[in-house]
Amino acid sequence: MAPRRTGEPTAWAPRVGVVPFRRLSRERLARTSAERGLGFSAAELVRLKAYFTKVGRDPTDVELAGLAQSWSEHCSYKSSRPYLRAAFGGLRPKSRVLGTGDAGVLVLEGEYAYAIRIESHNHPSAIEPYGGAATGIGGILRDVLAVGGQPIGLADPLFFGPLDLADSEVPRGVKSPRYLMGGVVSGIRDYGNRVGVPTVSGAVVFDRAYTVNPLVNVGCVGLLPRRRLVPNKAERPGDRLVLVGGLTGRDGIGGVAFASQELTERSEEESRGAVQLGNPIMKEPLIQACLEAYDAGLVRGAKDLGGGGLATASGELVHAGGLGSVIHLDRVPLREGGLAPWEIWISESQERMLLDVRPADLARVVEIFERHDVPVTDVGEVVPGDHETLLFGPSPAAHLRLGFRVDPPELRRPARRRPTPSNDPGTIPNADPVELFERLVLSPESVSREGVIRVYDHEVQGRTVVKPLQGRVVTPSHGDAAVLRPRVDSWRGLAVTIAAQPWACRLSPRAGAVWVVEEAARNLYAVGARPDAFTDCLNFGNPEDPLVLGDFGEVTKGLADGARALDLAVPSGNVSFYNGGLGAEIPPTPVLMATGLLPDLRRATTTDLKVAGDALYLVGRTAPGLGGSLWSRLTGRDGGALPRTDPALTRRLGERLLALGARERLRAVHDVSDGGLAVTLAEMAFGGGLGFAVDLSATGLETPAHALAAEGGSRWVVEVPADSIPGFEASFRGLPIARLGEVVEGDGRLSFGTDRLGIVGLDRLYPTWRAGVGVP
């Protein structure tokens, strides 16, 4: 029979099941939802029953499967939307932000733009770390591709339990942190390297809080001419809906429902099928074919098939255009036989995109994708009205009002703020400064990540000018940000960095979130980039816990506070709830991928010391608080209050650094963050193969130990050539700076006023530090 575009179908396709919803009791409805893995709440089941009672029929299994995807927390943001709208609604400067769809798009220069997005793949990586991480990379690449961007850089902030955790301390049903990290890093390596996109930024964090539920966040930046910007919506009735890319199988079915619940000791056996299978060899030609079709003006709208598969992608694409659709599920090319219509509808098989194409352009689109050896199939049509009709063969499989399916009501869950943290700044007992210096520098949180960084190809595409590892070839050290050269015919640079401070956010979610934004901005200023934007991945526990939702609301306020003070756009982001289980829950973990722009990347600065005899300055005001510090975590002591944040001061100081860097008055810059001055000075010295002589009393703190370990305040250590000192000091007149010491040959010399504290054997420390963290 022909598809009925209005009214309700009277006969369903033979392989479509009908679920007798209207006559089931609430208890039976809840049992049906659980048995089918749909994840509906009691209130949602009542709403569904009312809808189908009104239209006078029972739902099909295809309809229920699609509704479950769209109404999941992962897809709908039903708990987080009110907070996101309140915090970020007015933070998108129209002069810089060009688009806010699957990825945020911002002005780069002239007729060019760049795209940014960060996502999470936490739950899949906890079950199958290699595949979960690999498909996380695949998904973030498609987000950027869906707005017209060519991916040019990846970032991978990762959070695990301690690698030395004894097997007896790993809960039943949970994989060891060493196994998880090895699989995750290998998955990112194999996918990113094979698809030819450099991994230029990231983080590897260890904390017991991430033992049960590791965090695998992935970010991507892309380049596009402004004319190539593709909307994530259908344009006009009559347009064809074209499915391109990989074949559809049973992998990833129910992935978003799985991501919208806490992990249990049975997650491995019950949810392994929810993890997708990646295919980077298909992704590279898919990217090239899409870009060619975009450049030819043949694509009116696009959406990537990620969480919820074709159901989510088609629904969001068409509903965003205020239109309806007719989709033929039996036309979807399959990787294996025997898939039920509902499985085809919600499969999250990878490397797939949905394109809105004019009928007159369909033949040219098919030719492009076939030439790239990428499957291409016309699966449906954009139609007038507000309903979607799914066909399987000649008969309907679903007929729903799109607004009902893809736009569920927001949930107003109860939220409660945590008690106000202490204002006590905390103190450090007397400690040998040299021993404390070494303990901070050689902690698992501080040692080199070279062993991880080197397995990623950060050079492919030839755009990475300032690299993740900086300094001499024989003594590489950590940098603050990577700098890309997006266009070969321009010296304009794009800096990329990652920032996270879960320990600060655990103590004070709002102040901690401001701290994260400040840290991102300091990293960008350090390489000579003016902070431009950030995209955020907000990783939290169970939103049904009022304290978790209270933390979430406070974090969004803090991120907005920081963005407003530093004039940062926030064009995209992601929310990941339900990170936890088995009695464990992660701390509030907002992760930022931030970007900055350099007018001339040839004047970028790096962290490594350059010339003996140069002056070292501490730029910024040292705050005494030790709350959330590496010292407090290593010692298990209460660090007291968080250091006071001051993003406005960060901006004023950062702008002075930019002006001096443009005049080539700075040799090295490194922000002060985890591990305080100890880690900052060590990393600068390691990279340059030089030493330092510093007077820790320049911090204004009362003891050398406190001066070494304090992390607070908007601070950088800056290396200044002798002939630039007068101009440098004049530029900061009226602002907090202090002469810290000088660059020297040899080791690190510590003093406090007239007291000589000792010598740090940098040559002795470096091999241990460099051995650091590798791939288990």
Side-chain angles (χ1 to χ4, degrees):
M1 61 179 283
R4 297 166 61 93
R5 298 186 184 176
T6 59
E8 294 301 320
T10 57
W12 299 107
R15 295 178 59 191
V16 173
V18 176
V19 182
F21 233 61
R22 291 176 295 166
R23 61 182 175 83
L24 295 181
S25 66
R26 289 192 179 189
E27 293 75 17
R28 187 63 189 275
L29 284 172
R31 193 179 313 129
T32 299
S33 174
E35 290 170 351
R36 292 175 174 268
L38 301 174
F40 292 124
S41 68
E44 289 167 341
L45 289 169
V46 170
R47 184 168 182 253
L48 286 170
K49 187 172 182 176
Y51 177 90
F52 287 105
T53 298
K54 183 177 181 180
V55 300
R57 64 175 179 84
D58 287 315
T60 69
D61 53 2
V62 178
E63 290 172 327
L64 286 179
L67 284 158
Q69 312 313 298
S70 296
W71 289 16
S72 69
E73 188 70 58
H74 189 81
C75 286
S76 70
Y77 286 21
K78 55 192 175 186
S79 297
S80 59
R81 270 186 286 167
Y83 299 96
L84 297 172
R85 184 171 56 249
F88 300 116
L91 283 180
R92 300 189 182 106
K94 295 295 186 292
S95 61
R96 303 207 313 264
V97 178
L98 304 176
T100 58
D102 282 9
V105 181
L106 300 106
V107 174
L108 177 65
E109 62 173 336
E111 294 305 308
Y112 283 84
Y114 73 95
I116 57 171
R117 179 66 191 269
I118 192 170
E119 263 279 7
S120 62
H121 233 224
N122 304 335
H123 278 49
S125 300
I127 298 301
E128 208 293 276
Y130 181 90
T135 52
I137 293 293
I140 201 65
L141 292 171
R142 292 194 307 276
D143 284 334
V144 165
L145 181 62
V147 298
Q150 176 189 358
I152 62 171
L154 291 165
D156 63 340
L158 312 173
F159 299 73
F160 304 102
L163 294 186
D164 59 356
L165 200 66
D167 290 345
S168 60
E169 297 181 88
V170 178
R172 182 179 177 184
V174 174
K175 294 176 171 62
S176 75
R178 291 186 65 82
Y179 177 83
L180 289 169
M181 181 181 170
V184 165
V185 172
S186 297
I188 294 170
R189 172 199 66 198
D190 288 352
Y191 200 107
N193 291 359
R194 288 170 183 167
V195 83
V197 180
T199 300
V200 299
S201 186
V204 183
V205 174
F206 302 108
D207 193 285
R208 284 180 176 269
Y210 304 103
T211 299
V212 170
N213 202 134
L215 301 184
V216 177
N217 292 179
V218 288
C220 185
V221 294
L223 173 68
L224 64 153
R226 289 204 207 188
R227 59 180 169 74
R228 192 203 284 159
L229 177 59
V230 178
N232 299 138
K233 66 178 183 177
E235 189 69 27
R236 196 169 296 178
D239 284 356
R240 307 308 302 176
L241 295 173
V242 182
L243 183 64
V244 298
L247 303 181
T248 299
R250 283 196 170 91
D251 55 311
I253 291 177
V256 296
F258 167 53
S260 300
Q261 61 189 14
E262 290 188 321
L263 296 172
T264 71
E265 63 182 37
R266 299 186 304 277
S267 292
E268 165 76 22
E269 58 188 82
E270 293 178 348
S271 302
R272 194 174 186 89
V275 181
Q276 309 91 339
L277 303 174
N279 182 3
I281 305 305
M282 171 62 72
K283 177 60 64 60
E284 199 278 335
L286 173 64
I287 291 172
Q288 298 308 318
C290 284
L291 294 177
E292 183 177 339
Y294 296 162
D295 285 336
L298 304 177
V299 177
R300 284 181 154 180
K303 196 79 179 173
D304 87 289
L305 271 71
L310 183 58
T312 300
S314 65
E316 292 180 355
L317 180 76
V318 175
H319 184 59
L323 297 163
S325 63
V326 175
I327 295 176
H328 299 262
L329 293 178
D330 54 306
R331 294 183 186 174
V332 174
L334 304 181
R335 191 170 60 234
E336 56 193 284
L339 268 70
W342 70 268
E343 292 177 307
I344 297 171
W345 187 222
I346 69 169
S347 167
E348 297 179 12
S349 291
Q350 295 291 283
E351 329 313 344
R352 300 182 300 163
M353 302 282 290
L354 188 66
L355 310 180
D356 173 18
V357 177
R358 300 179 191 87
D361 294 331
L362 182 59
R364 290 180 64 195
V365 169
V366 170
E367 184 276 324
I368 288 172
F369 282 87
E370 288 183 342
R371 175 160 38 83
H372 285 274
D373 201 23
V374 174
V376 51
T377 307
D378 177 0
V379 297
E381 178 184 3
V382 180
V383 300
D386 62 352
H387 279 67
E388 67 179 2
T389 299
L390 307 181
L391 305 177
F392 194 80
S395 301
H399 184 74
L400 287 173
R401 183 167 53 83
L402 265 172
F404 176 75
R405 182 171 76 79
V406 305
D407 192 18
E410 296 173 355
L411 289 183
R412 299 286 178 168
R413 300 185 189 272
R416 190 165 77 247
R417 290 177 59 179
R418 295 186 188 273
T420 303
S422 165
N423 289 321
D424 180 0
T427 58
I428 295 182
N430 289 332
D432 180 273
V434 174
E435 290 181 3
L436 177 61
F437 187 103
E438 294 184 1
R439 185 176 185 186
L440 292 169
V441 169
L442 297 182
S443 75
E445 281 300 307
S446 306
V447 292
S448 176
R449 270 47 176 170
E450 182 182 2
V452 174
I453 294 168
R454 293 288 189 197
V455 305
Y456 305 142
D457 188 343
H458 56 263
E459 302 278 7
V460 66
Q461 296 189 13
R463 288 186 167 93
T464 314
V465 178
V466 176
K467 308 178 195 312
L469 294 169
Q470 298 173 13
R472 303 187 309 169
V473 173
V474 294
T475 59
S477 187
H478 293 155
D480 285 319
V483 178
L484 302 176
R485 184 182 185 184
R487 300 174 54 219
V488 296
D489 58 348
S490 169
W491 291 112
R492 192 164 184 81
L494 177 65
V496 182
T497 192
I498 291 292
Q501 276 289 346
W503 312 283
C505 293
R506 177 161 45 198
L507 290 175
S508 177
R510 186 166 185 170
V514 176
W515 189 349
V516 178
V517 180
E518 275 197 30
E519 181 177 326
R522 291 198 309 270
N523 288 343
L524 296 168
Y525 279 128
V527 296
R530 175 167 288 111
D532 191 49
F534 68 76
T535 176
D536 51 15
C537 191
L538 307 181
N539 304 276
F540 284 78
N542 190 334
E544 299 161 37
D545 181 341
L547 285 175
V548 170
L549 205 55
D551 288 346
F552 182 84
E554 290 298 290
V555 163
T556 59
K557 292 175 185 176
L559 294 176
D561 292 341
R564 196 174 293 110
L566 287 153
D567 191 30
L568 287 162
V570 189
S572 65
N574 176 71
V575 177
S576 176
F577 278 132
Y578 294 99
N579 291 290
L582 302 176
E585 202 162 74
I586 67 166
T589 311
V591 180
L592 308 189
M593 182 178 76
T595 52
L597 299 175
L598 294 84
D600 188 342
L601 57 79
R602 291 171 292 184
R603 292 187 169 86
T605 46
T606 55
T607 60
D608 49 301
L609 299 178
K610 308 293 194 306
V611 178
D614 281 354
L616 291 175
Y617 278 83
L618 182 61
V619 173
R621 182 181 297 111
T622 302
L626 294 164
S629 67
L630 177 58
W631 172 83
S632 70
R633 303 197 304 274
L634 287 177
T635 61
R637 293 175 178 269
D638 180 9
L642 280 182
R644 179 176 174 271
T645 57
D646 193 346
L649 177 61
T650 298
R651 187 177 179 186
R652 291 201 301 275
L653 296 171
E655 290 297 320
R656 301 295 200 284
L657 290 174
L658 293 185
L660 289 163
R663 300 199 300 271
E664 299 182 324
R665 300 288 178 85
L666 312 176
R667 289 210 213 270
V669 183
H670 198 2
D671 89 302
V672 182
S673 55
D674 288 353
L677 270 180
V679 171
T680 299
L681 289 169
E683 289 180 343
M684 297 180 80
F686 290 157
L690 292 166
F692 52 80
V694 296
D695 178 1
L696 298 175
S697 67
T699 63
L701 298 180
E702 294 182 359
T703 68
H706 203 160
L708 283 172
E711 299 174 6
S714 302
R715 299 185 298 164
W716 298 262
V717 174
V718 181
E719 178 186 359
V720 181
D723 59 0
S724 297
I725 289 175
F728 180 87
E729 293 184 344
S731 294
F732 285 97
R733 187 169 293 118
L735 292 170
I737 66 167
R739 178 74 178 262
L740 187 61
E742 64 180 355
V743 181
V744 299
E745 299 282 356
D747 293 321
R749 304 168 196 168
L750 304 177
S751 63
F752 195 83
T754 58
D755 294 334
R756 295 184 179 181
L757 304 176
I759 295 176
V760 177
L762 297 172
D763 288 342
R764 175 178 54 82
L765 286 183
Y766 183 71
T768 304
W769 178 88
R770 187 179 184 184
V773 176
V775 183

